[in-house]
Amino acid sequence: MSDARSSRIEGLHKMTPTERLQAVAAKAGLGNEAIASLAQAAEGRIELADRLVENAISSIAIPIGVATNMIVDGREVLVPMATEESSVIAAVCNAAKRCRPTGGFFTSSSGPVMAAQIQLLGASDPEQVRLKVYERLDEIRTICNETDPLLVKFGGGFRDIEVRVIETAEGPMTIVHIIVDTRDAMGANAVNSMAEALAPRLVEWTGARSLLRILTNLADRRVVRARAVWPLEEIGGEEVRDDMISAYHFADADPYRAATHNKGIMNGVSAVVLATGNDTRAIEAGAHSFVARNGHYGSMSRWEEDADGNLVGILEMPMAVGLIGGATKIHPTAQACLKLLGVETADQLARIIVSIGLAQNFAAMRALATTGIQKGHMALHAQNVALLVGAVGDEIDQVASELKALGKVRQDVAEEILARLRAGK
Ligand code: NAD
């Protein structure tokens, strides 16, 4: 990189977002069009962006669509989904419609319980360290609860500890888990603060050295389960049902397939997590590590036939989302999405999200086991391709419908169609 393009920009964080954009643009040689795009994208929201992240210069608008037809635990619910991927929302609407005759989605939850880890090293007897920590349970409870009296006031707070000795490449370590009910918060900051407050006392009591103090995203005490039954006639008959079950067996046995099968589930899950201002990375990390917790990476969901020959889908996954904390309370769009959902607790939100994941999985498996994924996907993708080649106004629909009719949703074909339209042929 030449000096002019050096990534060093002195004092960038102290500038206003407008000054920052100018400074970055000058360094990167951005033209007026790009500068205007970035400035326009954040219009009315740049102060919020500036409060949420460092060095903010703009923000990006991801479409929010609404999934219809959802019934979760007997309640009709409209679900906002933030995603840039075509066909994700349509797939959920379709899957949810097909299980309405059997009552939609039924859920259960283990409650909003999170854990933070404290790593203890250097003790001559890690097993003794383990027991010494257990002996201090009452003091640990007091230290943790004093760290977050507000959480305690809302009915949450310290619940328990778990202490393990793990084998590592450099020898055994004692790992302390503090287990905390975080109520309507995702809880990362809450449990991290407790872990940091507790660590020096553990050192004092055990003579070990403490190193890392942070939550685990493998939130296996905050698991939500969703179940739905799709009647045979809504699936397309016994053959489709059996093929969908075979598709599931494939995913559960083969990590190459499981990765894509689970990505489909996360298409639904992450879209609601994002729309509500929750932490998509925390949910993704928890979901994948939960599947692989026993050393094999398989399907997040389970599919089987019931006694009447209908298809039953089950999805069980950690769901650490909140209504308080992070961007959930600060971001007006997230707040509006939460209002649309009509949820009063983080637990209710978590149940809806897992139901959406299951709906998404049904739609993807059914498409794959029948016509293939590209038919529905490409029909929606045609619009994107039309935009990509520069179609504007009415041209977008015209190009997209010709692409679909030809069954060739490709950029080169779109360019030909657009050129023909513009030449008036
Ligand atoms: P937070 O600290 O902003 O809010 C939680 C706090 O709100 C509680 O500790 C409590 O004091 C208070 N509160 C008020 N009313 C409450 C209620 N009804 N229920 C529960 N608490 C209530 O946020 P958080 O949820 O602790 O942390 C979430 C944030 O942490 C997210 O932005 C996430 O991205 C970030 N984070 C994540 C990780 C990770 O996932 N690895 C690590 C660090 C930070």
Side-chain angles (χ1 to χ4, degrees):
M1 209 179 247
S2 74
D3 211 20
R5 297 287 302 263
S6 157
S7 63
R8 286 274 317 142
I9 308 180
E10 200 73 44
L12 189 70
H13 67 284
K14 292 187 198 140
M15 297 178 192
T16 67
T18 314
E19 290 166 349
R20 244 180 242 140
L21 177 55
Q22 292 300 338
V24 168
K27 273 279 179 193
L30 282 190
N32 286 340
E33 207 180 318
I35 297 173
S37 279
L38 287 165
Q40 204 185 355
E43 235 169 273
R45 285 285 159 83
I46 194 64
E47 274 177 30
L48 176 64
D50 198 28
R51 250 187 290 142
L52 283 171
V53 303
E54 300 80 25
N55 292 349
I57 57 164
S58 183
S59 62
I60 186 163
I62 301 289
I64 295 176
V66 173
T68 53
N69 302 325
M70 291 290 295
I71 308 174
V72 180
D73 297 319
R75 188 169 81 88
E76 301 271 351
V77 57
L78 291 169
V79 185
M81 300 177 67
T83 179
E84 85 301 342
E85 190 171 346
S86 312
S87 83
V88 165
I89 297 162
V92 169
C93 296
N94 188 278
K97 191 164 155 215
R98 290 176 191 276
C99 67
R100 286 179 71 85
T102 47
F105 299 84
F106 301 89
T107 70
S108 61
S109 134
S110 63
V113 179
M114 298 296 282
Q117 303 187 289
I118 302 166
Q119 178 191 19
L120 296 177
L121 310 154
S124 52
D125 187 345
E127 272 300 334
Q128 268 206 47
V129 170
R130 189 173 80 88
L131 295 176
K132 283 181 183 170
V133 174
Y134 274 124
E135 287 158 20
R136 301 287 182 152
L137 181 66
D138 290 339
E139 287 147 285
I140 293 173
R141 174 181 293 108
T142 305
I143 293 165
C144 290
N145 283 342
E146 278 176 355
T147 310
D148 199 338
L150 196 53
L151 181 60
V152 176
K153 187 180 140 202
F154 283 102
F158 176 85
R159 290 290 178 267
D160 204 357
I161 49 170
E162 181 182 40
V163 193
R164 300 176 300 139
V165 175
I166 62 166
E167 285 305 325
T168 77
E170 62 176 58
M173 293 176 188
T174 310
I175 309 298
V176 180
H177 285 200
I178 50 173
I179 296 154
V180 181
D181 184 327
T182 62
R183 294 286 93 197
D184 289 324
M186 181 267 187
N189 289 324
V191 298
N192 290 347
S193 303
M194 290 183 187
E196 290 194 1
L198 180 62
R201 302 302 301 280
L202 295 181
V203 169
E204 208 178 283
W205 296 329
T206 64
R209 181 169 78 89
S210 87
L211 192 55
L212 305 192
R213 296 142 297 157
I214 187 160
L215 89 157
T216 169
N217 286 110
L218 172 48
D220 60 358
R221 294 168 191 264
R222 198 175 190 170
V223 168
V224 174
R225 311 157 201 107
R227 176 181 64 84
V229 177
W230 278 269
L232 208 48
E233 59 277 14
E234 288 288 346
I235 309 166
E238 286 176 7
E239 198 179 324
V240 179
R241 176 200 63 205
D242 293 347
D243 285 352
M244 287 176 71
I245 292 174
S246 295
Y248 152 63
H249 287 147
F250 175 19
D252 205 34
D254 178 19
Y256 288 96
R257 174 64 209 134
T260 314
H261 177 90
N262 294 339
K263 189 270 180 185
I265 293 173
M266 299 313 287
N267 275 342
V269 166
S270 297
V272 191
V273 173
L274 184 60
T276 55
N278 274 288
D279 184 334
T280 51
R281 292 81 53 210
I283 298 302
E284 299 267 351
H288 294 286
S289 56
F290 185 69
V291 178
R293 69 197 183 285
N294 296 322
H296 167 74
Y297 184 76
S299 169
M300 287 177 185
S301 57
R302 219 168 63 229
W303 292 89
E304 59 203 28
E305 179 187 339
D306 74 5
D308 301 319
N310 301 317
L311 182 66
V312 183
I314 296 160
L315 179 60
E316 182 168 2
M317 63 195 297
M319 192 47 62
V321 288
L323 305 183
I324 309 256
T328 54
K329 264 275 197 232
I330 307 168
H331 205 296
T333 310
Q335 276 294 299
C337 286
L338 286 167
K339 279 211 179 81
L340 177 59
L341 282 159
V343 288
E344 275 155 19
T345 63
D347 190 65
Q348 287 171 357
L349 173 63
R351 290 166 187 249
I352 293 170
I353 294 173
V354 177
S355 302
I356 289 280
L358 184 59
Q360 186 74 51
N361 193 212
F362 171 88
M365 287 212 317
R366 184 166 178 273
L368 282 168
T370 54
T371 51
I373 206 88
Q374 286 307 79
K375 192 164 173 260
H377 203 79
M378 281 312 192
L380 286 159
H381 186 55
Q383 300 260 350
N384 296 354
V385 176
L387 283 168
L388 193 68
V389 299
V392 288
D394 291 346
E395 290 172 349
I396 301 167
D397 281 340
Q398 288 168 340
V399 172
S401 59
E402 261 205 61
L403 287 171
K404 280 186 272 178
L406 287 168
K408 291 181 192 166
V409 184
R410 294 197 328 241
Q411 201 174 325
D412 56 329
V413 182
E415 273 164 4
E416 278 169 32
I417 298 169
L418 185 62
R420 199 163 15 84
L421 279 176
R422 288 185 175 168
K425 288 183 203 158

